[in-house]
Amino acid sequence: MKKPQNKLAAAPAGVHCIDLTPCGCEFIGDRGEYLRVSVLENDLIRVRIQPQGKMRLDRTWLVLDRDGEMPREGRSREDLSPFSLPPFQMLQQEGQMTVTTRDLAVNIRLGDFALTWASADGTALAADTANRPYLYEAGGSQIGHRMQNLSGEHYYGFGEVSGALNKAKRHIFFKNNNHLGYSARNGSPLYKHFPFYITYQPQTGQAFGLFYDNLATTLFDMGKPGQSRSYLAEEGDIDYYFIYGPTIREVVEKFSRLTGRMLLPPRWSLGYLGSTMKYTEAADAQHQLERFVQDCRKYQIPCDLFHLSSGYTLGEDGKRYVFTWNRRRVPEPKAMVENFHASGILLAANIKPALLTTHPRFEEVKALGGFVKAADKEEPQLLQFWGGTAAALDFSNPAAIAWWKGNVKEQLLDLGIDSTWNDNNEFEIGMDAARCDGFGSSLPISLARPLQTLWMMRASYEAQLEAKPDERPFLISRAGCPGMQRYVQTWSGDNVTSWETLKYNIPMGLGLGLSGMANTGHDVGGFTGLRPSPELFLRWVQNGIFHPRFTIHSWKINGGANEPWMYPQILPYVREAIQFRYRLIPYLYNLMVESAATGHPIIRPFVYEFPDDPHSIDESFDFMLGPSLLVASVLAPLVRRRKIYLPAGQNWYDFYSQKHLTGGATYMVAAPLQHSPLFVREGSMIPMGEVVHPLFHKQDDLRQILIFPHFAEGDSTLILNEDDGHSLANRRGECTRLQFTLGSRSDQLTLDVEIEQSGYALSYREIEFILPAGEKRPLSLSGVHRVWQDEQSRCHYLWPIPEMKR
């Protein structure tokens, strides 16, 4: 399908108010269009336009119900029960109406339904174009919405989109697509469909989000300053949510409340996740997989999960058949799983949502009616898939869901496989009129490609949860849309090896975080193309360890594989980086807990943390890991020193040299091969631990808090959340919460610790607090057991945890 074209001629010729409702107002157009403005919250207003007077898709699977749940069959778009529906004021004047809430005012111009938005204090936020703001084909299916571009506006979000962070002037095409070796700088379309973005106005400090609840093929044209930006979709209705911040942080919180917060993953998922297609593609796949386990031990590389690529399903004809095992390549799957488990490595198996017509169980699924059907007959809609003709499972059909879940259990989980890797799930079905069951109410695939992906994730999630009812499911999916964060971790797909990919994958991940999908990462080293040079591979590892998902993966043209030990000359530095990642897991896991509760991104662009700093609003490549760590990766060859801008309004520590640096300035800093530059915001406290893994330290019994006091005076707080890291006991409130309050004064530092235990006993009995090198102020902390200074002149304070119930 081609991109939607901005050639739509029809628009409301006249709009008349027909009803004032308890939550807004309803209108009808001269051609029978139905239009509605609904006040859902003081900071959340919904706009709907139905060109045909009725809904083309009467349900949503993206906006959750009041309890934060989503019925399998979806929610009626007429259901407003999740919202408080606050009181508002309505003012009718000649040719226009104004709706005002506590936070927002929207003016509706009758005649063409052009809307103008402002905050309660009168600050202009947004405006539809003066001419033809809403577009739709007469008798057709395309729809469009056009808005003015105000001077200086920046646009962030859109999920997984190539290029720099700010999407001003960009054309963004959404049609879930398997894009092997895409350009991270300008490749499109990619794997995910997120029709959501944040507008930020630096001159006013105001931010708002626009979310279009429609997953048809879409084109955003973000235009140029002073011109217009547009949303065009091939199908569906105009149904969008205006989400007022006023800060970027608040927009992200509110959007993630609408579509769901991140599934809290098991703690072990923050370790190194190994992967390569080479092993399972080999004739002796089981031997190759055993060698990976041996090499982890040989080279002292901790690994917590290995991705079993789809080669294990290869038939004798060289084609891939989901839920089958090639017993020549993998003669003893259970023994293979046990070998991984014995070394502390769990397994995720690759599964694909289409069956080739030569699949031994194709006719079985066909008889169930379990495939997406052709438009005009009761036959599966065929498509090209992995070198053959196939049909895609219809995950809106309960029979297909049951078949899928049964096979996940019987063919994978019963053998000891721990996780599902939901791959090649873009549902690239070319016939728009192909039919989905829709849980008993048929809908065309043109409205449901990303929904099929979402339903697939949910089916796999349910299978894992049913198999282990008190274990946190861990799943991976390549494709997705808003709501995927409720079920899976994701990555940026089949990237290509290059310095440019390393660089531009960073804003792709930042965009996903701003769009509610916080648990993401990239294939370190590049999936396809040539093997990375030693320097590129090392710098990619040193960048990858700071992303929520840290995976080294590849399918190389020359048959090689990206492996931690691939270059002996840099192996010590690779090992050091991976072990540092493990030591940082207490900090990373705490960010995961925060994100699951609030929607806050884990990796954050500067503009998220420092929106008032004009030098931060366009930064795409240096980023914050949580609120405290500034990651400044090396993104070009032969760089041993690089410039770094440190945001204004706070001071900074160089993590490695411990030097004091003032914010709001640019510095030339060391970037040795051993590590990339890393900085810490003053007032921060960073929880660290051991390398917890059977190869190293089996018990998580050490907790260090690296303290970086304010240079002069200031107060700060760290709330550290601890639980067992793997079960659902945390949902029952079984956790321990530690609050550290640091006071920095010119002559002294004070630290207060409060512990709130609820059913979970800490795995460590003492905490070691460590001050930066050169810090002369003493630390006042009641109950300190021992104080000493190390060879780097850092002062350590050992504090025994008071006796509590265990």
Side-chain angles (χ1 to χ4, degrees), residues 743-764:
S744 302
R745 300 296 177 264
S746 59
D747 59 347
Q748 182 174 294
L749 305 174
T750 60
L751 186 64
D752 181 65
V753 183
E754 298 179 27
I755 302 178
E756 180 183 331
Q757 185 184 39
S758 179
Y760 170 73
L762 293 172
S763 59
Y764 45 89

Side-chain angles (χ1 to χ4, degrees), residues 236-254:
D237 296 309
I238 297 172
D239 187 354
Y240 69 89
Y241 294 77
F242 189 101
I243 308 166
Y244 179 56
T247 65
I248 295 174
R249 179 187 298 264
E250 289 168 298
V251 174
V252 174
E253 288 174 351
K254 293 167 185 178

Side-chain angles (χ1 to χ4, degrees), residues 50-280:
Q50 295 156 204
Q52 298 171 346
K54 60 181 180 180
M55 287 179 282
R56 292 170 175 168
L57 179 57
D58 62 357
R59 290 164 289 166
T60 179
W61 282 267
L62 306 185
V63 178
L64 300 179
D65 67 17
R66 181 181 293 275
D67 298 322
E69 302 293 336
M70 176 56 66
R72 188 190 295 275
E73 65 278 7
R75 281 184 51 252
S76 168
R77 289 180 185 261
E78 298 288 358
D79 175 19
L80 302 182
S81 64
F83 308 104
S84 66
L85 309 180
F88 59 91
Q89 294 179 333
M90 176 75 72
L91 176 64
Q92 292 184 261
Q93 295 175 305
E94 183 68 27
Q96 63 182 349
M97 302 177 67
T98 303
V99 177
T100 305
T101 74
R102 183 195 65 201
D103 300 326
L104 284 172
V106 55
N107 181 268
I108 306 160
R109 189 173 68 199
L110 302 180
D112 60 2
F113 201 62
L115 306 183
T116 304
W117 304 81
S119 61
D121 63 4
T123 301
L125 297 174
D128 289 339
T129 56
N131 179 38
R132 300 168 60 232
Y134 296 96
L135 311 169
Y136 30 86
E137 285 183 307
S141 61
Q142 283 197 355
I143 55 171
H145 176 209
R146 301 195 307 164
M147 302 182 76
Q148 299 176 31
N149 280 1
L150 302 183
S151 177
E153 285 184 331
H154 285 56
Y155 309 116
Y156 308 114
F158 294 106
E160 175 189 81
V161 175
S162 60
L165 185 72
N166 179 15
K167 305 306 181 189
K169 306 179 186 179
R170 287 288 306 276
H171 288 221
I172 297 165
F173 183 30
F174 285 134
K175 181 174 182 277
N176 295 38
N177 183 52
N178 181 355
H179 198 151
L180 176 67
Y182 64 88
S183 166
R185 186 170 189 168
N186 53 28
S188 175
L190 297 179
Y191 307 88
K192 299 175 182 71
H193 188 130
F194 275 76
F196 164 79
Y197 68 96
I198 299 168
T199 298
Y200 178 59
Q201 301 170 339
Q203 65 274 26
T204 65
Q206 302 282 297
F208 64 88
L210 286 174
F211 168 48
Y212 294 86
D213 188 358
N214 179 19
L215 295 176
T217 299
T218 295
L219 176 66
F220 284 93
D221 180 350
M222 302 312 291
K224 296 179 181 179
Q227 298 181 3
S228 65
R229 62 188 187 271
S230 63
Y231 159 81
L232 298 168
E234 281 289 312
E235 259 278 17
D237 296 309
I238 297 172
D239 187 354
Y240 69 89
Y241 294 77
F242 189 101
I243 308 166
Y244 179 56
T247 65
I248 295 174
R249 179 187 298 264
E250 289 168 298
V251 174
V252 174
E253 288 174 351
K254 293 167 185 178
F255 177 63
S256 66
R257 189 184 306 130
L258 269 184
T259 60
R261 299 275 163 74
M262 183 188 76
L263 172 71
L264 181 63
R267 194 182 187 104
W268 54 258
S269 69
L270 291 168
Y272 160 49
L273 310 182
S275 188
T276 179
M277 287 188 69
K278 176 184 175 182
Y279 303 148
T280 56

Side-chain angles (χ1 to χ4, degrees), residues 14 26 66 94 252 271 290 307 614 791:
E26 298 177 356
R66 181 181 293 275
E94 183 68 27
V252 174
E290 289 171 355
H307 297 75
E791 65 279 3

Side-chain angles (χ1 to χ4, degrees), residues 307-328:
H307 297 75
L308 197 65
S309 292
S310 59
Y312 77 95
T313 69
L314 278 169
E316 296 309 316
D317 59 0
K319 299 185 186 299
R320 294 160 207 270
Y321 297 112
V322 66
F323 299 132
T324 67
W325 287 85
N326 185 315
R327 296 296 177 133
R328 291 189 182 182

Side-chain angles (χ1 to χ4, degrees), residues 495-502 525-533 536 540 556 562:
N495 59 2
V496 66
T497 299
S498 70
W499 285 96
E500 182 177 272
T501 300
L502 165 59
F527 175 76
T528 191
L530 299 175
R531 296 178 82 185
S533 68
L536 173 55
W540 217 322
K556 291 302 180 186
N562 294 340

